[in-house]
Structures are given as structure tokens and as C-alpha cells.
Amino acid sequence: MRIFHTIAEIREFVRQARVKGHSIGLVPTMGYLHEGHLELMRQAKKQCDTVIVSIFVNPTQFGPGEDLASYPRDLDRDAAMAEGVGVDAIFNPVAEEIYPSGYSTYVDVERITEKLCGAFRPGHFRGVATVVAKLFNIVKTDYAFFGQKDAQQVLVIKRMAADLNMEVEVITVPTVREHDGLAMSSRNVYLDPEQRQAALCLSSSLNRAAAEVGAGERNAAKIRQLVIDLIKDEPLAGIDYVEIYSYPDLEPVELIKGSALLALAVKIGRARLIDNIIL
Ligand code: PAF
């Protein structure tokens, strides 16, 4: 497995892969890899001849006071894990390679970025869309793989790719969970054992909601309130949002019919955790 730090190097690697007639798959990450990322890479390996993983803690998607400086980083560990699932190359640029002095261009996806995480993290999706657009342009990938845990992120990227006529197929991979249901996240390392236990309220409340819908409840406000009450029972948990929207359009829903996204963001200690389920 090769590790590249510059745009010129990764472009040359892609050029050589293309000469061999290879299809290219990209797994964009911010590193500190976990089983969820490895699952994206395995899917990419199944579908593409050459798989590239980008590892870049993207400063433009962090707001003031967020965890940009403390975001966990360990390239050696990440490289060993990626190599273990057969990744062909890692692209690990420094911030100045992606945002050189004078950098002034950003991608703003409207409307679907105004709710859920977009409402609580102003500018977050502008940073995500910008860096992903740049990665798509740098790698010229055929396929790109993202996790369903970041449901809104995937919708934003699909919207951007469609609106800007990008020749890339965006593939969504189901959320990977720990044995007890906690969605895998690089930010889980912020949790101490007591907080880790408290964090189970996210997945357990989602499962309870799914069971209620399975039993015939269709009233979105009731389901939302049930989830809020369940999370409020956990003293260490602070809710940012619990919302139900139509999926994939993210329009308000009163009655759950067709696909609906139940999404939540909850702060536990210094970790802000997100999770979701399609009802
Ligand atoms: O999901 C992430 O890790 C990031 O938001 C992404 C897509 C790599 C962009 O920085």
C-alpha cells in the first residue's frame, strides 16, 4: 500500500491505475479508523479495482470551539488497518495542500443543509461539500463510499454530485455498530466507561421507536417525543436534536408513511454523537 501526501503524487497514482484500465473507488475519511471505515473499504474493494482512502482532518468543517485540534489522529495505526483490508493507497495531505494561501472557493448545498446537523453546526456542510468536491476532482474517482451513520452528509454529497454533474457514483454503506448497538465513531474515544454506557441511549431509543412504528404507531410527533423522553432519562445525555423527516427529501412529516429518517444528535461529556434509523 502506498501513502501519498501531495495532490501531484496521488494524481500520478490514479493515472497509472487508469492506464491499467482500473476502476477507482474513494473512501473519504478523517482518519482514526474504526470498523465502520473498514466496512466502507471492504465494499470499495468488492466493487473497484483500485481503492484509495483519504485521511484528512478537514479544518473547514469544524466550527469555532469544536474539536479540530483534539480530533484523534494516528496515521501509522490507520495505515496498518487500511492495508489489512487491501487498500491500495492512502492520500494524507496537510491542510496547506488542500487550502493553499489565497484559497477562496466553497461549495454551498442549499436547503437540506439547513436542518439537523446543519442547523447546529453552521458552515459544517459547506466545509464537507467543499473538501469532498476537491477530493472528487483530485482523485477523479468512479465510486465514493460513505456511511449511513452520517445520513445527512450522504444526502448533501449526493445532491452536490448531481447538481454539479460530477461523474461519480456515491454509495451508502449501512452503519456498523458495536456489539451493544453503539454506532461506531472516531469520537467514541472521548467517552469514559460511564459515558460509554450512557451513549447506549442513542441506539436503544432508535430501536424502541422502530418497534413502535413496527407495532403500527404512525404519529411522528409521538415517536419523536418517545425518543426525547427516553434520552432525557439518561442524566449524562444532552439532546441537540431529535427529528423525523421524510427520506431522502428531508421534508417535515406528520404521519410516518413511506420512508422517514429518525435522526438524533446527543452530547455526552465532550463527545457529540449522532445516530439515525430509517423508519
Ligand atoms: O465523514 C467524514 O469523515 C468527513 O465528513 C468527510 C466525508 C471525510 C469529509 O471531511
Side-chain angles (χ1 to χ4, degrees), residues 51-226:
V51 173
I52 298 168
V53 172
S54 63
I55 296 181
F56 178 61
V57 183
N58 173 36
T60 62
Q61 69 187 74
F62 288 79
E66 292 189 351
D67 57 344
L68 171 62
S70 61
Y71 197 87
R73 294 161 167 89
D74 189 339
L75 183 60
D76 291 343
R77 172 185 171 278
D78 288 348
M81 290 171 77
E83 191 160 29
V85 292
V87 165
D88 299 285
I90 286 179
F91 176 48
N92 173 232
V94 294
E96 295 70 33
E97 182 74 2
I98 300 297
Y99 302 110
S101 145
Y103 189 86
S104 314
T105 304
Y106 293 87
V107 179
D108 246 317
V109 178
E110 296 181 351
R111 284 194 298 278
I112 56 168
T113 55
E114 286 161 13
K115 44 196 83 171
L116 301 173
C117 283
F120 282 82
R121 302 183 69 188
H124 169 68
F125 286 119
R126 179 182 191 248
V128 170
T130 299
V131 79
V132 172
K134 286 176 67 74
L135 290 168
F136 286 178
N137 279 338
I138 291 165
V139 173
K140 295 268 173 2
T141 192
D142 300 301
Y143 302 93
F145 297 78
F146 296 89
Q148 175 64 16
K149 184 177 78 76
D150 298 289
Q152 188 179 16
Q153 169 169 280
V154 183
L155 294 176
V156 169
I157 290 164
K158 283 188 170 168
R159 183 81 259 161
M160 171 190 77
D163 288 354
L164 297 183
N165 311 98
M166 293 172 166
E167 278 190 301
V168 52
E169 191 177 328
V170 176
I171 293 168
T172 315
V173 178
T175 303
V176 178
R177 298 181 180 278
E178 306 273 3
H179 64 282
D180 54 7
L182 180 67
M184 298 251 178
S185 164
S186 303
R187 289 187 167 101
N188 290 349
V189 293
Y190 296 150
L191 300 169
D192 68 23
E194 195 190 354
Q195 293 165 341
R196 167 73 182 68
Q197 189 60 30
L200 295 179
C201 71
L202 280 83
S203 56
S204 62
S205 64
L206 292 176
N207 289 339
R208 180 71 194 283
E212 291 294 322
V213 173
E217 180 59 70
R218 291 287 173 271
N219 185 310
K222 275 193 189 164
I223 296 289
R224 176 173 177 266
Q225 195 55 50
L226 169 74

Side-chain angles (χ1 to χ4, degrees), residues 148 177 203 206-207 209-210 260-264 275-279:
Q148 175 64 16
R177 298 181 180 278
S203 56
L206 292 176
N207 289 339
L261 175 74
L262 166 55
L264 42 82
D275 203 346
N276 68 80
I277 195 167
I278 306 289
L279 297 170

